[in-house]
Amino acid sequence: MTEVAERQDEPTEASSSPVLLELRDLSVRYLAAREELPAVRGVNLRLGAGETLGLAGESGCGKSTLAMSVLRLLPRTATISGEVLLDGEDVNTMRWGRLRTVRWASASVVFQGAMHALNPVRKIYDQIAEPIQLHHGSQVDQTELRRRVLELIDQVELPASKAEAYPHELSGGQKQRVMIAMALACEPRLVIADEPTTALDVIVQAQVLALMSRLVAERGIGLIMISHDLSVLAATCANIAVMYRGEMVEFGPSARLLEQPEHEHSQALAAAFPTIGDPAARFKPATSTPLPEPEPDRCVGEPVLRTENLRVDFRDRGGATVRAVRDVDLAVAENEIVALVGQSGSGKTTLARTLLGLQQPDSGRVYFRDTEIPSSARGLRGYRRQVQLILQDPASALNPRHSAYEAVAEGLRIHGLTDDEPGRVARALEAAELRPAERFMSALPHELSGGQKQRVVIAGALALDPTVVVADEPVASLDASVRGEILALLLRLRIELGLSALVITHDLGLAWNIADRVAVMYQGELVEVGTVEEVLLNPQHEYTRSLLAAVPGGTYRSGPNGECAH
Amino acid sequence: MTAGETKPAESARSIAWARRRQAAGRVWREFATDRGGLIGLIVLAIIVLLAVLAPVLTNEADLNVTTTELPPRDPPSADAWLGTDRNGVSVLLLIWWGARVSLLIGFSAALLSVFIGTAVGILAAHFGGWPSTILMRLTDFFLVLPTLVLAIALAAVLPRGLGTIVLAIGVASWPTTARLVRAQTLTIEARPYIERSRALGAGHAHLIGKHVLPAVLPLVFANTTLVVANSIIAESTLSFLGVGDPSRPSWGGILQAAFSSGAATQGAWWYLLPPGIGIVIVVLCFTLCGRALETVLNPRLRGQG
């Protein structure tokens, strides 16, 4: 198309690319319960045509608000001051009709959570065609429209047959591709991507990021990408802006910001996701409280939790057998943290549930200290004092009606440990670093932050003095800075109390941060098991290699291979 | 703040109680903003108070048809504000005492129905598998039985009396509650905190008592007020059809007596209208309260009228 060709020339013609978007002293406040909450405070920003910018920051820092203000997609409760100049025109003073024209034709959005942003009852073809029909009305004839939509589907690397599919027939990554195709439908000059890869697996994330980089480069589109993960932004964007409490605290080229962040908060963000292989991050998750030195000649004890030829099958709706866990032999020893890594759907969570006796295996055995775990309700109760579960999302793992005290005391009450209950609860809360414990006892879950909630869940597990904890994605739903603190807590519990842990994760950096051994799971099978250094620095299985290759930050190259903790 | 100073064992319990008081206070404040619900509650409180105090404020002996001195089918006068019935008993007095029976049966039948429904709903959802299948097929069976016919059949077979009416209405009306409670329990059971509790070693009793029941109860409570309204209507219907307790006046019974004595054709409106209006007012009040309570407990209903 000639139009595209012309646009591609624009940035090269003008040596200093024309300003596509300019924010001048932009502030946004939300009116909530007679109180004004500032979300964005006095941000200045310039983005040239064809330039890429990453917006980083934790949840609640105002990065999404900032991005949505570009298209005036904010709720009624928001008051905006300052200017948002899109192609030199202030969005805030536009009339409604002009705004509608600008939306999607000049700038479009790839929304967060592709699974919810698509209409489940309409075909992919119709959903991609919708913005084109809205903006060009009756001028486009059906054959031209069809050609255009199929071209878009082809550009986002989807097979043409998917045009007739419904959203539920697509995988998460494919849905995200459809969202990108929709954003490109009216050939905008600016695309805003709000956490486009957050819900995706590492490998799919790498594919989507590569696609976005390619399209942006080919078409000379300006891109604003929002994420909490600096390495994801660095993979696609030339510049990164870090936001903290509504203010832009640092701005600079991606490589520089990733390696030498200046602002305290950027440093915390950069440190939160370690580079695999970096000896400085081994057994040192980013935390503000210093960790005890790892003991130099630590001995890993006997296996406490062990599986033998474990197999779990499910039946899907069609009646076909799905093998969730196939012949798995896995052991967690005393005083050891094992990381179980793999994509979603690889059977990690099923394995964890089987270890806890929440799921019956179809064949094979689970041993706890050389005794097979009982299947009777009474026997399981005793076993569950020894092995504890920490769930992914602390917000839903706590009963919203129960205070922190009750949540921690629940296990004690179930097991009849009623003597000195308040003392035990207080000790558990303090062991989970909620100090002073009295301050948190009466707090309800909604009064606590994400990290504090996860600490309450951990305290609930610690109250029973368990031997092993099984943590299912313990930091996946937490903010970057909290992530390091929770990982440090798990590591500290291992060092100080000798608590073993099986940590289930899709995040290889987590394994590098705290684990002693890694088990890689692929389609229900353990494809590789070994020490962290062996598996992550010298992967043998092809799948492990592809997982490592997909990590956005890449792996540490200059460090010596096979450097061990002992 | 004070947890460190007070005795810890007490503080744990007092924390829980303080929280419950706080939650109740919040529900009440939100309820009070709903004008319809508030009016319903006030009117209902007055009616219940009057019904309870009937033996104190009136003389039960005046209900006796053999000793009454008033003329039968007399229009409203100073002696009898709402006129008299076919036996010369004051209609006002009949309505007053009839309210006691109607409300008593309404409440008892609703409690019975909600109790059965809640138990069946929670058990079916919690245990799943074949117990669930059996319980839900039983529920479906009762759901498709015509409620009124079942109640009439039961009331006709069993000895006559208040207990029979309560049983008939209660047994006939629990399936809807069971379905509602089952649905709510299923959503609660899917929450990860149930999984966490199970991993801590919790048994069925703990899960149901500590997690499921407290989460389901608000819904059950709102549902109860609506079931009371239905039970009062059912009681009136049964009495009107002549299967009620003949020894005591209830609103349905009064209507039946008025109808069979030809009050409608003779223009004795004072005999027919008051029990009907009484039923309408009480049922309306219960519905208003129930709706307001539902809105407070389920904020998603707000703004839909």
Side-chain angles (χ1 to χ4, degrees), chain B residues 212-245:
Chain B
V212 175
L213 206 55
V216 172
L217 270 186
L219 182 82
V220 168
F221 200 55
N223 181 49
T224 308
T225 53
L226 300 175
V227 174
V228 171
N230 281 334
S231 300
I232 290 175
I233 292 180
E235 187 275 334
S236 307
T237 313
L238 288 180
S239 298
F240 183 75
L241 293 174
V243 285
D245 183 355

Side-chain angles (χ1 to χ4, degrees), chain B residues 30-31 34 222 288-305:
Chain B
E30 283 185 40
F31 184 88
D34 189 316
L288 283 173
C289 283
R291 293 266 312 183
L293 206 57
E294 242 182 353
T295 320
V296 171
L297 299 172
N298 184 359
R300 266 176 299 174
L301 293 174
R302 238 168 262 168
Q304 291 172 11

Side-chain angles (χ1 to χ4, degrees), chain A residues 364-437:
Chain A
R365 294 185 175 86
V366 180
Y367 292 97
F368 177 74
R369 289 198 199 284
D370 295 326
T371 45
E372 194 176 342
I373 66 163
S375 54
S376 71
R378 187 176 295 272
L380 268 177
R381 179 174 296 194
Y383 169 68
R384 282 173 179 160
R385 248 189 92 173
Q386 302 294 328
V387 183
Q388 285 297 316
L389 173 69
I390 295 166
L391 287 157
Q392 171 172 3
D393 182 9
S396 53
L398 293 172
N399 189 331
R401 293 157 195 272
H402 289 186
S403 65
Y405 181 95
E406 284 163 282
V408 176
E410 188 174 359
L412 296 172
R413 289 175 187 165
I414 290 168
H415 292 283
L417 304 169
T418 43
D419 57 304
D420 189 27
E421 187 184 279
R424 284 173 189 260
V425 171
R427 280 195 295 279
L429 283 171
E430 302 218 333
E433 293 163 3
L434 288 169
R435 299 191 184 96

Side-chain angles (χ1 to χ4, degrees), chain A residues 353 356 358 381 384 387-389 391 396-403 405-408 410-411 413-415 422 438 441-442 444 457 460 464, chain B residues 1 3-4 8-9 11-12 15-16 19-20 22 191-204 206-207 210-211 214-216 218:
Chain A
R353 296 192 69 222
L356 286 158
L358 294 169
R381 179 174 296 194
R384 282 173 179 160
V387 183
Q388 285 297 316
L389 173 69
L391 287 157
S396 53
L398 293 172
N399 189 331
R401 293 157 195 272
H402 289 186
S403 65
Y405 181 95
E406 284 163 282
V408 176
E410 188 174 359
R413 289 175 187 165
I414 290 168
H415 292 283
E438 284 78 22
M441 281 184 173
S442 60
L444 287 174
V457 174
L464 291 171
Chain B
M1 283 174 279
S11 79
I15 284 172
R19 198 195 62 236
R20 275 174 208 142
Q22 216 179 349
R191 307 270 163 87
Y193 62 78
I194 299 287
E195 178 106 334
R196 170 179 174 268
S197 191
R198 205 168 265 155
L200 281 170
H204 299 301
H206 179 92
L207 283 176
K210 284 279 172 186
H211 292 289
V216 172

Side-chain angles (χ1 to χ4, degrees), chain A residues 39 58-63 245-246 479:
Chain A
E58 299 197 332
S59 53
C61 74
K63 55 189 194 303
R245 293 190 175 179
D479 263 330

Side-chain angles (χ1 to χ4, degrees), chain B residues 146-204:
Chain B
T147 313
L148 195 61
V149 178
L150 178 68
I152 291 172
L154 277 173
V157 173
L158 298 170
R160 287 197 159 193
L162 289 188
T164 303
I165 304 279
V166 169
L167 194 70
I169 299 173
V171 165
S173 62
W174 61 267
T176 42
T177 310
R179 287 228 152 238
L180 189 76
V181 170
R182 175 175 167 272
Q184 180 73 3
T185 308
L186 282 177
T187 67
I188 302 288
E189 292 260 342
R191 307 270 163 87
Y193 62 78
I194 299 287
E195 178 106 334
R196 170 179 174 268
S197 191
R198 205 168 265 155
L200 281 170
H204 299 301

